[in-house]
Amino acid sequence: MLIQLCYASTRKDHQELLQDLSDILTTAVRFNRLHNINGVLYYAHNSFFQCLEGEKEVVEQLFEGIKKDKRHQDIILLSKKEIPNIQFSDWSMKYVQSNKGVDLFFKAKNYEYFQPTKLNETQIVEFIQHLLDAEEVTLKKVSEDAEVFNSSPKGYKRGYISYI
Ligand SMILES: Cc1cc2nc3c(=O)[nH]c(=O)nc-3n(C[C@H](O)[C@H](O)[C@H](O)COP(=O)(O)O)c2cc1C
């Protein structure tokens, strides 16, 4: 049985943001590809939103591991349901960078900014569709940006703001 599980969480300070994102995506892409898991990850305003899709047992087991991850906290399950087919079939883990479209989406729902835990069931479905249509940022790009950020003397890179 295929399921889709979506949750939100709060980022915990660990390493630099870009390094954490790059590490998380590297692990996710490798593991998910091997275990037929698909999904999407969005990060902004110190919050993660992630959907995992795949066989129920595999997704649930992965989620148990993700819940223990020290890079985030306050994990809140937003939805878990059986699905007829995988929505994010093109991606083992699509990463969508913080963007104005999402801000507008939340503003239209009377939330000042990206606050995934505020969404109701219908709005979650809408938000997932939004992420499905959104532009992807490749793991390669995130890793390269993390590398440039780490090697720059002030730990500053133009464009870093777009990850926040
Ligand atoms: C927000 C977030 C999303 C994650 N998504 C995935 C994912 O989709 N797939 C995955 O294998 N690991 C993901 N991870 C990493 C896992 O939590 C964990 O580090 C990984 O499964 C390795 O666990 P292990 O060291 O216990 O084997 C994610 C971590 C975070 C913080």
Side-chain angles (χ1 to χ4, degrees), residues 7 24 27-28 31-32 48 50 52 62 66 69 71 93:
Y7 72 89
I24 290 168
T27 310
F31 181 91
N32 298 2
F48 288 109
Q50 187 177 36
L52 302 164
L62 172 61
I66 290 177
D69 199 305
R71 291 169 288 194
M93 189 45 60

Side-chain angles (χ1 to χ4, degrees), residues 30-147:
R30 191 178 302 148
F31 181 91
N32 298 2
R33 197 176 279 156
L34 279 174
H35 295 86
N36 288 324
I37 292 178
N38 301 81
V40 64
L41 179 69
Y42 184 78
Y43 172 81
H45 292 276
N46 219 40
S47 295
F48 288 109
F49 173 86
Q50 187 177 36
C51 288
L52 302 164
E53 299 180 325
E55 278 302 323
K56 185 171 186 286
E57 295 71 29
V58 191
V59 168
E60 284 175 344
Q61 206 180 327
L62 172 61
F63 185 49
E64 285 310 306
I66 290 177
K67 281 199 278 187
K68 294 187 191 122
D69 199 305
K70 292 192 166 53
R71 291 169 288 194
H72 64 170
Q73 59 192 0
D74 306 330
I75 292 108
I76 295 172
L77 182 64
L78 297 175
S79 79
K80 183 165 133 179
K81 61 181 185 190
E82 190 177 346
I83 46 169
N85 42 45
I86 301 285
Q87 273 193 289
F88 289 90
S89 53
D90 287 349
W91 305 273
S92 46
M93 189 45 60
K94 178 177 186 180
Y95 180 65
V96 178
Q97 199 168 313
S98 172
N99 68 78
K100 282 210 177 72
V102 170
D103 287 342
L104 289 173
F105 177 91
F106 279 80
K107 284 222 167 78
K109 311 231 162 327
N110 286 325
Y111 303 122
E112 229 180 294
Y113 56 92
F114 170 65
Q115 288 166 293
T117 55
K118 300 270 171 91
L119 299 178
N120 65 31
E121 225 173 293
T122 320
Q123 293 170 334
I124 289 170
V125 173
E126 262 182 80
F127 185 48
I128 292 168
Q129 186 59 47
H130 194 87
L131 294 178
L132 200 56
D133 299 336
E135 196 184 325
E136 176 197 18
V137 181
T138 61
L139 167 61
K140 188 167 173 281
K141 169 88 169 62
V142 180
S143 309
E144 280 171 4
D145 286 351
E147 228 169 90

